[in-house]
Amino acid sequence: MTREITGAQSLVHSLEAVGADVVFGIPGGAILPAYDPLFDSTRVRHILVRHEQGAGHAAEGYAQATGRVGVCMATSGPGATNLVTPIADAYMDSVPMVAITGQVPSAAIGTDAFQEADICGITLPITKHNFLVHSADDIPRTIAEAFHLAGTGRPGPVLVDLPKDVLQAVTAVLPHEVWPPSLDLPGYRPVTRPHGKQVREAARMISQSRRPVLYVGGGVLKARAAAELRTLAEMTGIPVVTTLMARGAFPDSHPQHLGMPGMHGSVAAVTALQKADLLITLGARFDDRVTGRLSSFARGAAIIHADIDPAEIGKNRAADVPIVGDCREVINELIAVLATEEKPDLAAWWHTLDGWRRTYPLGYDQPADGSLAPQQVIERIGKIAGPEAIFAAGVGQHQMWAAQFISYENPYTWLNSGGAGTMGYAVPAAMGAKVGRPDTTVWAIDGDGCFQMTNQELATCALEGIPIKVAVINNGSLGMVRQWQTLFYDKRYSNTELGTHPASPRTGVKRVPDFVRLAEALGCVGLRCEAAGEIDETIEKAMAIDDAPVVIDFVVHPDAMVWPMVAAGASNDDIRVARDIAPDFDYSGDAEVNL
């Protein structure tokens, strides 16, 4: 005899069947039927967040740290629309996530009912796919399809919208022995294996190149291909650059690693791309923050572009050898073919690159007034926490310093909002990462502006036993905006002063808010560091606390800037190592560069 259950029970059974072990969410009227059977589940943990945006970013952090699909849940109307930012963020950064939303009853859809919003229509441009479920019988198949879509091909967010009457309707339980249900996804067949002819042509070009660069993007991490990348790099001797989304895909300490390219990349990485004769582009998308002015980017380079998403190939830069496929399979096939090819002679190229690395390393100045250098703070956190720790950053100066001054030796240890640039990402993403990898130390590197957007999730961490550590890089302002105002707006600091410094011109000697007292109010341990001699001691004190979240207010110099820098819209040839200071080299068209 077939056992009958509600659509809500079917939803929970389906989540259990696809292997979901945690859901970040907030209940509300339309989704409430799902929360009743969720209360009884012994396999799916629900974490009650304080804002739906926090639920979405936590699901992202969980997914990026574990490689599994993250899940968030919200009610209809404003609950669902509060998920829009993390959904857009996940879409830009190809994060596998399933967002489940309640919806008003089917008969009320389109009537402007209380807490109604067309969340499918709203999220259509920022989801890989979305579903409005019309029948409780369709719930198992829809959940199975959502997880399959989110986690295969180019990963991304999928939304499942469930009207309240569908959750309350009666349906038949789907036995575990017939799970998964048959998927109905006509036309969805991601190409994972590359075309052999294209791989052979790429190998030929590599063997004949004299100034090649492996331009590595986040797709290599999504493909779980870090080990294969290292094999490819070491067998060819080709220099490697890792984009902001690919930090950790190749060890920073490896002698072939030139660093991060882009607006705030190292001189060696940025200039290597500009002067290369061949770019082997793996899972990267030639975005504007890497290329600078596109028409001037790597003008002398032929392009091999491998990506699982065919829409990315040729979108911004024409590819001489386009390769559609999963990066791990592409790299493995390249390795096999290159084993029969002559290794390129890169001695002159490496002579040039090593010269750039020696002459223009990353660095920073200590403030003359004895205050904290933010770069030193972040560098010491990385050293003390170690290469096994996970670091989640917000967006702005602190994000760039964390990308520059922490050494990433392992994949999946660097989480950030790269494409959307979402302030407020760090704390909830760190929370999700800690839930997914509870035995790993997780630091959120946040700015005083970003921190004020989502710090309420520290209450979630305190109550749910999620002991993350938060470093607030407190420079008293919206730091990156202030840097641009310094450089491009004649130091006219319009609406960037936050009042979080003790000597704030807006608040006098007060700190608004006082981050230590705020942390304590949210159930965390609050610490403050204002002197360079106290940095290590303060970090070590935080590292010793394992039973509660910790927040450190690092009060840093307000005028520190992120360098190197390529101004927005400028050519990468115009990189500056400090204000009005450009690298002193004259590229003459061959592999030798006069430094």
Side-chain angles (χ1 to χ4, degrees), residues 46-286:
H46 182 273
I47 292 178
L48 178 63
V49 298
R50 296 304 180 266
H51 191 286
E52 290 89 353
Q53 182 180 352
H57 291 319
E60 285 188 277
Y62 172 94
Q64 287 182 290
T66 66
R68 300 193 292 271
V69 176
V71 186
C72 54
M73 187 180 292
T75 196
S76 63
T81 57
N82 280 343
L83 286 176
V84 168
T85 294
I87 289 172
D89 193 275
Y91 186 73
M92 288 288 281
D93 288 346
S94 303
V95 178
M97 183 173 84
V98 170
I100 298 169
T101 53
Q103 184 54 276
V104 299
S106 300
I109 292 176
T111 68
D112 293 331
F114 176 68
Q115 290 194 333
E116 181 189 359
D118 179 11
I119 195 62
C120 285
I122 291 168
T123 61
L124 188 63
I126 55 169
T127 50
K128 191 173 177 182
H129 194 71
N130 58 36
F131 298 89
L132 174 61
V133 182
H134 296 285
S135 168
D137 295 340
D138 294 334
I139 288 174
R141 176 179 54 80
T142 302
I143 294 298
E145 289 175 353
F147 274 74
H148 177 70
L149 287 166
T152 59
R154 180 178 183 172
V158 177
L159 181 131
V160 179
D161 198 28
L162 292 156
K164 189 172 185 177
D165 59 304
V166 172
L167 290 171
Q168 293 172 321
V170 172
T171 184
V173 67
L174 189 66
H176 286 293
E177 57 267 22
V178 297
W179 187 274
S182 177
L183 305 185
D184 183 21
L185 297 169
Y188 181 71
R189 294 177 180 84
V191 174
T192 59
R193 186 172 181 180
H195 195 288
K197 180 181 178 182
Q198 300 299 90
V199 172
R200 290 191 296 274
E201 178 61 16
R204 184 192 65 79
M205 293 178 69
I206 290 170
S207 68
Q208 294 178 359
S209 65
R210 291 298 174 263
R211 299 189 305 277
V213 176
L214 282 161
Y215 164 24
V216 176
V220 169
L221 290 175
K222 298 296 187 295
R224 323 301 284 186
E228 290 79 4
L229 171 66
R230 183 166 184 163
T231 299
L232 174 64
E234 290 178 345
M235 77 176 293
T236 59
I238 296 174
V240 179
V241 302
T242 52
T243 67
L244 182 66
M245 293 305 299
R247 305 293 285 116
F250 194 75
D252 278 354
S253 62
H254 197 287
Q256 287 174 240
H257 194 224
L258 301 181
M260 180 178 73
M263 176 177 279
H264 295 294
S266 69
V267 170
V270 171
T271 311
L273 291 177
Q274 288 297 93
K275 311 307 182 187
D277 66 1
L278 177 65
L279 298 186
I280 304 104
T281 309
L282 302 170
R285 55 188 181 87
F286 294 92

Side-chain angles (χ1 to χ4, degrees), residues 295-311:
S295 62
S296 70
F297 177 70
R299 283 171 292 193
I303 305 295
I304 298 167
H305 192 178
D307 202 290
I308 199 165
D309 183 358

Side-chain angles (χ1 to χ4, degrees), residues 355-374:
W356 292 337
R357 289 202 289 196
R358 286 192 306 270
T359 308
Y360 302 107
L362 291 173
Y364 55 89
D365 294 326
Q366 293 288 351
D369 62 0
S371 58
L372 294 181

